[in-house]
């Protein structure tokens, strides 16, 4: 006893809430035509998840909702609730009817006017799929083999082989494998779609990944160059900084001495110049020296004059002396008055000397004086020679001689005085001159000092210039270092500037090694620039992400491949199980079918046969979007009958009653193999005559041992087998009403 109750509200003609309780193995529902009995059978279909509206005699979901009558308004929803007793039968171990951990399970389905459906299990909303799975395990699946609608008794006979197979699978409770298989196939299809999707995604990122890999190679190469550059730059910077500092210090120190010297030389030069400025020059000859020079000249003139006069007198004296001698001789010889030529020459010479002296002075006075002297000299000469002719001449000559001697002595005295004066003046002059020259020598020394200082200044300046050149060079080096540091850090990162801790081996290094280092640095810079990789960090990040994505896809493909393999295996396994159990079931059904058939017809033979039909199936090949057709054998069920004493072999040739009996025999045989918890038969017995009605009644009773039966019937015989009878009536309000009635009432109601 599994079925507990059925509750209808707003479902078709059941406008008001009506409930049927199933307390006995056989429940019969009776009532006049059109009262709503079949609506009850459809309510079962509905609540069990039937999706075919046609099988519930509707076109739209709305058709299942009470549509109102002249007296009562229409309902907005139709609901049916079926309650199962889900306890294990007393004393029986095994499975619960529904695989759910509740002793009582209510299934409920509601449809609204907009066509939406709701499914509930014990009041909780579930999906249709959940309901179907739950029921499939309890052999009450959607094929409805256990709900035989009015006029559908021979549905199984009408059905095609494939539909029959579905019914039998459902009845055998192996539909669940079919569902699982279909679900696995759906999953497989989905998995294959996923594989395609993942493959396409992987294909999509492949070129980008390839590009990123190439970029990464470049970055790695660039990184090697960069590392080399940074290492070299650090050493270069450290050495250059050390060199610049050291050289600057050296130059600074080296500049001290020459700069100091230069300053001193400057001061010395100023001093020397000042001395020269203040010292004596030729033009500064003192006036006393000039006075001495003038006196000296005068004295010398006097000396020369005295000397000349003395000489002249000496000549005259000598002449007079000779004249005296001659007079003495002529006196002696009484001689003629002859003037000797020598005397005339002497006179001319004297005149000449006088004239030359006056000429030297070049003054008119001197000339006048000379002329006077010469005239006096000639008059004297003439007088002398006149007198000489006389006897007094001798005396005159002697007198003249005395006069001349006296004059000469006076000149000699003048001469020696002049000489003495000259000597004194000369000595004075020389001492004064010496003093002056000495003073002039000091100035000259100062001048020499100036030249010396200038020469030294030139030397020191040359040295300073050299040092300044070095200073400028080292400043240039310092500036170049700054530029280099900026360039390298911009190109290879700030790390290159952290060179303070770089340790250099001790000892002197040739500067050209550092120059070579710089050249190498430049080459590395160019190489790094040539790699042309910018935004390195972004590419590394993107490459990492893309590679991870690719790996994820690859892993996903492996997982999906494995999943699809598992699904294929599962499908194969399910197919095998389905086939095996199906074949087994068919064999069992056939045994019962034969028996029931023989019982109903009093002989004959009937059986089910598995048939194969080749069906074309469209499917898409893996990795190809083009669909291809594939032929696939589809198994169905054929029914073979042979009536006793008749040569009828095909189903089509049976009468209505015979068809009803055959289908009843088959339905009962099916239920015998794997009895469903309940069976609803809606006027299955309609076509039976009295004798067959009894046989039918017997079989029904037999069947009720395994399944609860709900029989909708007008048949008295059938009613008599029911434990509980429900009568359905419909009044003027066009609403079905339900009432529990007795057999006698039932017979009455059913009329
Ligand atoms: P029979 O003995 O002749 O087979 P029955 O008792 O099985 O009759 P049903 O076919 O169950 O009768 O009931 C049909 C009745 O239900 C009809 O009167 C029909 O008008 C009514 N009906 C069907 N759908 C609706 C609906 N949506 N709203 C109201 N009434 C409905």
């Amino acid at each position: 006893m599994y079925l507990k109750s059925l509750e209808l509200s707003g479902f078709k003609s059941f406008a008001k809430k009506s409930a049927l309780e199933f307390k006995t193995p056989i429940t019969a529902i009776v009532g006049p035509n059109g009262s709503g009995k079949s609506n009850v059978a459809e309510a079962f279909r509905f609540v069990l998840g039937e999706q075919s509206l046609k099988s519930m005699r509707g076109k739209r979901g709305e058709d299942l909702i009470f549509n109102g009558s002249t007296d009562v308004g229409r309902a907005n929803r139709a609901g049916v609730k079926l309650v199962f007793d889900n306890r294990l039968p007393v004393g029986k171990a095994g499975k619960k009817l529904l695989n759910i951990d509740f002793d009582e399970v209510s299934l409920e389905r509601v449809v609204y006017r907009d066509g939406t459906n709701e499914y509930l299990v014990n009041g909780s909303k579930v999906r249709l799929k959940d309901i179907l799975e739950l029921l499939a395990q309890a052999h009450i699946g959607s094929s409805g083999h256990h709900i035989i609608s009015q006029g559908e008794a021979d549905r199984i006979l009408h059905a095609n082989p494939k539909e029959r197979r579905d019914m039998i699978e459902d009845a055998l409770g192996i539909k669940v494998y079919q569902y699982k298989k279909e679900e696995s196939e759906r999953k497989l299809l989905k998995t294959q779609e996923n594989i395609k999707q993942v493959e396409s995604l992987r294909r999509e990122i492949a070129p980008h990944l390839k590009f990123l890999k190439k970029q990464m190679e470049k970055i790695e190469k660039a990184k090697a160059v960069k590392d080399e550059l940074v290492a070299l730059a650090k050493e270069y910077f450290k050495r250059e900084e050390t060199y610049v500092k050291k050289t600057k210090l050296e130059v600074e120190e080296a500049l001290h001495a020459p700069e100091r010297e230069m300053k001193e030389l400057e001061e010395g030069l100023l001093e020397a110049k000042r001395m020269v400025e203040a010292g004596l020059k030729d033009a500064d000859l003192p006036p006393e020296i000039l006075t001495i020079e003038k006196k000296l000249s005068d004295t010398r003139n006097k000396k020369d004059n005295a000397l000349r006069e003395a000489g002249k007198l000496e000549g005259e004296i000598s002449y007079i002396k000779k004249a005296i001698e001659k007079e003495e001789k002529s006196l002696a010889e009484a001689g003629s008055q002859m003037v000797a030529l020598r005397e005339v020459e002497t006179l001319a010479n004297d005149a000449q000397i006088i004239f030359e002296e006056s000429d030297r002075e070049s003054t008119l006075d001197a000339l006048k004086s000379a002329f006077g002297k010469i005239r006096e000299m000639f008059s004297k000469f003439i007088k002398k020679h006149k007198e000489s002719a006389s006897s007094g001449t001798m005396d005159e000559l002697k007198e003249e001689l005395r006069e001349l001697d006296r004059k000469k002595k006076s000149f000699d005295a003048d001469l020696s005085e002049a000489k003495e004066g000259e000597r004194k003046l000369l000595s004075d002059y020389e001492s004064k001159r010496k003093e002056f020259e000495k003073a002039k020598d000091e100035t000259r020394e100062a001048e020499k000092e100036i030249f010396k200082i200038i020469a030294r200044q030139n030397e020191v300046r040359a040295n300073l210039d050299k040092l300044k050149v070095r200073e400028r060079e080292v400043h240039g080096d310092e500036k170049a270092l700054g530029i280099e540091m900026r360039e390298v850090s911009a190109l290879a990162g700030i790390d290159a500037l952290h060179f303070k801790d770089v340790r250099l081996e001790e000892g002197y290094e040739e500067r050209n090694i550092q120059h070579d280092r710089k050249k190498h640095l430049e080459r590395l810079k160019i190489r790094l620039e040539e790699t042309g990789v910018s935004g390195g960090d972004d590419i590394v990040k993107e490459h990492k992400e893309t590679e991870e994505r690719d790996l994820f896809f690859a892993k996903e493909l492996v997982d999906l491949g494995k999943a699809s393999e598992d699904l294929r295996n599962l499908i194969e396994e399910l197919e095998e199980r389905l086939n095996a159990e199906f074949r087994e079931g068919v064999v069992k059904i056939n045994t019962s079918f034969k028996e029931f058939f023989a019982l109903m017809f009093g002989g004959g033979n009937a059986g089910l046969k598995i048939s194969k039909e080749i069906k074309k199936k469209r499917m898409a090949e893996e990795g190809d979007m083009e669909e291809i057709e594939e032929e696939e054998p589809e198994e169905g069920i054929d029914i073979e009958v042979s009536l006793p004493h008749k040569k009828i072999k095909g189903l089509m040739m049976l009468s209505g009653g015979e068809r009803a009996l055959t289908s009843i025999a088959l339905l009962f045989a099916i239920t015998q193999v794997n009895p469903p918890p309940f069976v609803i038969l809606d006027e299955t017995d309609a076509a039976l005559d009295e004798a067959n009605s009894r046989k039918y009644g017997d079989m029904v009773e037999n069947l009720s041992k395994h399944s609860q039966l709900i029989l909708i019937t007008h048949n008295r015989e059938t009613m008599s087998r029911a434990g509980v009878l429900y009568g359905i009536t419909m009044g003027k309000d066009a609403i079905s009403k339900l009432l529990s009635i007795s057999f006698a009432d039932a017979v009455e109601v059913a009329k």
Side-chain angles (χ1 to χ4, degrees):
M1 299 284 283
Y2 297 109
L3 276 186
K4 277 188 93 173
S5 63
L6 179 79
E7 195 181 286
L8 304 92
S9 57
F11 186 82
K12 291 203 162 182
S13 55
F14 289 88
K16 290 173 187 160
K17 198 185 265 186
S18 315
L20 293 94
E21 289 196 353
F22 309 104
K23 288 176 181 163
T24 55
I26 301 173
T27 303
I29 299 170
V30 301
N33 291 135
S35 60
K37 300 185 295 296
S38 294
N39 290 345
V40 174
E42 278 152 15
F44 271 100
R45 283 193 191 279
F46 175 72
V47 75
L48 294 176
E50 178 62 84
Q51 294 302 298
S52 155
L53 282 164
K54 202 177 147 201
S55 71
M56 294 183 284
R57 292 181 296 166
K59 280 184 183 160
R60 297 165 299 164
E62 255 194 333
D63 297 339
L64 304 179
I65 303 169
F66 176 68
N67 209 23
S69 64
T70 41
D71 302 333
V72 185
R74 65 178 198 168
N76 288 324
R77 67 196 281 282
V80 178
K81 186 160 138 188
L82 185 61
V83 181
F84 288 94
D85 184 347
N86 200 33
R87 287 174 300 179
L88 281 173
V90 183
K92 277 193 186 171
K95 290 199 293 183
K96 288 188 167 195
L97 173 68
L98 299 170
N99 185 22
I100 180 171
D101 200 15
F102 285 99
D103 284 344
E104 189 178 280
V105 178
S106 73
L107 302 184
E108 196 175 350
R109 179 177 176 184
V110 180
V111 65
Y112 296 90
R113 288 220 168 260
D114 62 2
T116 54
N117 283 273
E118 258 176 26
Y119 300 90
L120 299 103
V121 172
N122 283 0
S124 302
K125 276 189 191 171
V126 293
R127 296 166 300 173
L128 168 64
K129 181 175 166 281
D130 302 323
I131 299 263
L132 296 181
E133 272 185 19
L134 196 64
L135 295 173
Q137 286 160 357
H139 319 303
I140 33 181
S142 61
S143 74
H145 69 279
H146 53 298
I147 303 172
I148 310 301
S149 299
Q150 196 177 1
E152 269 201 341
D154 59 352
R155 185 163 66 103
I156 194 159
L157 303 189
H158 284 298
N160 64 35
K162 169 78 174 64
E163 286 164 348
R164 281 187 205 124
R165 184 183 164 130
D166 284 346
M167 285 181 206
I168 289 167
E169 276 179 357
D170 206 357
L172 288 172
I174 57 174
K175 197 81 192 157
V176 66
Y177 301 137
Q178 190 66 40
Y179 286 135
K180 277 190 183 161
K181 188 188 146 199
E182 279 165 13
E183 198 189 339
S184 300
E185 279 170 348
R186 273 197 303 280
K187 276 188 190 164
L188 181 62
L189 208 68
K190 185 92 197 130
T191 309
Q192 277 163 352
E193 272 169 21
N194 285 346
I195 287 175
K196 273 186 205 159
Q197 246 172 11
V198 174
E199 278 173 346
S200 127
L201 282 172
R202 215 176 162 204
R203 268 200 304 279
E204 245 171 60
I205 63 165
H208 188 51
L209 187 62
K210 201 173 152 194
F211 165 76
L212 287 172
K213 270 192 182 139
K214 275 202 181 138
Q215 290 296 98
M216 282 299 288
E217 279 167 23
K218 276 191 190 170
I219 286 171
E220 266 152 34
K221 264 191 210 158
K223 196 183 170 297
V225 176
K226 195 168 126 185
D227 289 350
E228 195 184 342
L229 174 65
V230 168
L232 187 70
K234 279 184 176 181
E235 187 182 351
Y236 176 79
F237 293 156
K238 179 75 179 187
R239 283 192 188 277
E240 198 64 4
E241 193 189 62
T242 313
Y243 166 79
V244 166
K245 268 188 195 162
K246 191 169 150 271
T247 312
K248 269 171 84 177
L249 212 68
E250 276 172 12
V251 172
E252 204 180 312
E253 277 172 6
L255 277 168
H256 281 160
E259 271 175 352
R260 201 176 48 240
E261 192 182 350
M262 203 61 182
K263 212 174 150 200
E264 284 166 7
L265 287 170
E266 207 65 50
E267 284 165 6
L269 187 63
L270 277 176
E271 175 62 21
K273 278 185 177 166
R274 206 169 39 73
M275 274 172 73
V276 169
E277 204 71 24
L280 290 176
K281 289 177 274 296
D282 286 338
D284 298 330
L285 203 63
E288 46 182 340
I289 291 182
L290 290 175
T291 313
I292 295 170
E293 274 181 353
K294 175 88 176 77
K295 279 181 185 167
L296 198 58
S297 168
D298 288 351
T299 310
R300 278 182 178 152
N301 282 341
K302 272 182 194 165
K303 187 187 89 180
D304 289 346
N305 191 44
L307 200 62
R308 196 171 52 245
E309 287 300 325
K312 208 163 67 181
L313 286 172
E314 209 170 330
E316 277 178 41
I317 291 167
S318 136
Y319 174 70
I320 296 293
K321 277 178 179 169
K322 278 175 185 164
I324 292 169
E325 276 173 28
K326 201 176 156 187
E327 196 58 44
E328 280 170 349
K329 213 177 169 185
S330 73
L331 281 176
E333 292 169 6
S336 63
Q337 200 62 13
M338 284 268 306
V339 177
L341 184 62
R342 193 182 27 91
E343 265 181 284
V344 178
E345 274 174 0
T346 305
L347 184 71
N349 269 347
D350 290 346
Q352 178 75 21
I353 288 166
I354 291 165
F355 180 77
E356 275 173 8
E357 272 175 1
S358 71
D359 193 39
R360 212 180 297 147
E361 283 182 14
S362 293
T363 57
L364 194 60
D365 288 344
L367 205 60
K368 279 179 182 171
S369 140
F371 185 67
K373 280 178 190 169
I374 292 168
R375 200 174 55 184
E376 194 185 352
M377 205 170 69
F378 271 91
S379 58
K380 276 179 188 169
F381 182 76
I382 295 164
K383 196 181 167 189
K384 184 186 94 182
H385 281 284
K386 275 177 181 170
E387 285 173 354
S388 61
S390 70
S391 56
T393 305
M394 194 59 154
D395 299 333
E396 281 174 9
L397 282 173
K398 284 184 182 170
E399 183 59 37
E400 195 177 354
L401 187 61
R402 277 190 303 271
E403 181 65 28
L404 286 173
D405 273 339
R406 195 191 39 87
K407 275 185 184 174
K408 191 181 176 281
K409 272 180 190 146
S410 160
F411 276 114
D412 281 345
D414 281 355
L415 183 64
S416 58
E417 191 191 356
K419 275 187 179 170
E420 181 58 22
E422 186 194 37
R423 192 190 55 78
K424 276 187 186 159
L425 280 170
L426 209 56
S427 138
D428 195 17
Y429 174 80
E430 271 171 7
S431 84
K432 290 271 184 323
R433 189 81 200 187
K434 232 180 204 165
E435 264 175 46
F436 173 66
E437 288 303 325
K438 202 180 158 206
K440 254 174 55 175
D441 278 352
E442 277 174 18
T443 308
R444 265 198 294 279
E445 280 304 314
E447 276 171 352
K448 270 193 213 158
E449 185 63 15
I450 286 174
F451 287 117
K452 251 165 81 187
I453 288 174
I454 288 172
R456 180 61 191 155
Q457 267 185 330
N458 284 339
E459 272 173 35
V460 176
R461 194 170 286 119
N463 187 21
L464 269 175
D465 284 350
K466 259 194 238 164
L467 287 170
K468 293 278 178 198
V469 167
R470 267 199 91 190
E471 196 177 37
R472 271 199 300 282
E473 275 173 2
V474 78
H475 272 120
D477 288 344
E478 194 175 28
K479 219 169 143 190
L481 173 64
I483 292 169
E484 195 64 68
M485 277 161 65
R486 272 198 300 283
E487 279 183 13
V488 171
S489 64
L491 198 63
I494 204 86
D495 181 42
L497 302 184
H498 300 149
F499 58 87
K500 300 283 176 220
D501 300 334
V502 170
R503 299 190 73 83
L504 300 173
E505 72 272 19
E506 304 232 328
Y508 171 75
E509 185 191 86
E510 288 288 339
R511 185 79 179 130
N512 59 354
I513 297 179
Q514 179 74 335
H515 289 150
D516 289 348
R517 202 171 276 125
K518 164 118 181 177
K519 279 183 204 154
H520 190 185
L521 204 64
E522 293 306 323
R523 282 199 294 276
L524 286 176
K525 272 159 70 183
I526 291 166
R527 265 174 66 196
L528 188 59
E529 271 173 346
E530 275 172 357
T531 54
V533 190
S534 58
D537 287 351
D538 288 348
I539 284 173
V540 171
K541 191 167 164 249
E542 201 179 340
H543 175 257
K544 190 171 170 266
E545 284 169 4
T546 315
E547 200 171 51
E548 276 171 5
R549 246 183 113 203
D550 187 59
L551 279 173
F552 171 77
F553 288 150
K555 194 180 162 292
E556 192 84 329
L557 280 176
V558 171
D559 289 353
L560 287 168
K562 169 120 191 7
S564 77
E565 184 59 30
D566 288 351
L567 284 167
R568 277 200 190 92
N569 289 339
L570 180 64
I571 290 165
E572 209 174 292
E573 201 180 294
L574 286 166
E575 262 171 4
E576 278 169 15
R577 259 176 103 172
L578 194 64
N579 274 329
E581 290 192 23
F582 177 67
R583 280 173 171 69
E584 225 174 275
V586 168
V587 171
K588 283 183 188 164
I589 290 168
N590 268 343
T591 316
S592 300
F593 186 29
K594 275 189 181 96
E595 274 177 32
F596 285 121
F597 189 84
L599 197 75
M600 295 291 253
F601 288 98
N605 199 8
L608 300 178
K609 212 181 125 194
I610 297 171
S611 67
K612 265 194 185 144
E613 202 181 331
I614 302 297
K615 283 246 167 175
K616 283 191 174 171
K617 195 181 173 190
R618 282 187 163 271
M619 63 184 295
E621 260 206 349
E622 229 174 290
D624 195 349
M625 293 313 285
E626 231 174 79
E627 282 192 341
I628 56 149
E629 279 188 351
E630 199 181 73
E631 290 186 342
E632 198 188 55
E634 196 176 73
E635 282 191 345
I637 290 286
D638 279 341
I639 304 168
E640 288 173 343
V641 287
S642 67
L643 295 177
H645 322 297
K646 289 185 181 174
K647 282 191 174 172
I648 290 168
K649 292 272 180 203
L651 282 176
M652 302 303 289
M653 297 171 81
L654 297 174
S655 75
E658 284 166 348
R659 285 179 72 87
L661 284 175
T662 306
S663 60
I664 289 163
L666 180 54
L667 287 173
F668 287 6
I670 291 169
T671 54
Q672 283 295 293
V673 177
N674 204 348
F678 59 93
V679 178
I680 297 158
L681 300 169
D682 188 355
E683 297 187 37
T684 315
D685 51 6
L688 305 181
D689 56 21
E690 240 183 89
N692 281 335
S693 291
R694 266 197 302 280
K695 284 179 192 169
Y696 177 80
D698 291 344
M699 283 205 295
V700 159
E701 264 187 56
N702 206 16
L703 211 62
S704 71
K705 286 174 192 157
H706 310 291
S707 305
Q708 259 176 296
L709 297 178
I710 290 125
L711 310 173
I712 296 167
T713 186
H714 291 284
N715 192 310
R716 196 174 179 279
E717 182 60 41
T718 309
M719 283 181 220
S720 69
R721 313 283 176 138
V724 169
L725 286 152
Y726 282 103
I728 298 180
T729 58
M730 188 182 271
K732 284 180 187 160
D733 57 2
I735 293 174
S736 297
K737 284 185 195 67
L738 200 63
L739 55 148
S740 190
I741 51 169
S742 65
F743 174 66
D745 290 341
V747 174
E748 198 54 37
V749 167
K751 276 180 185 169

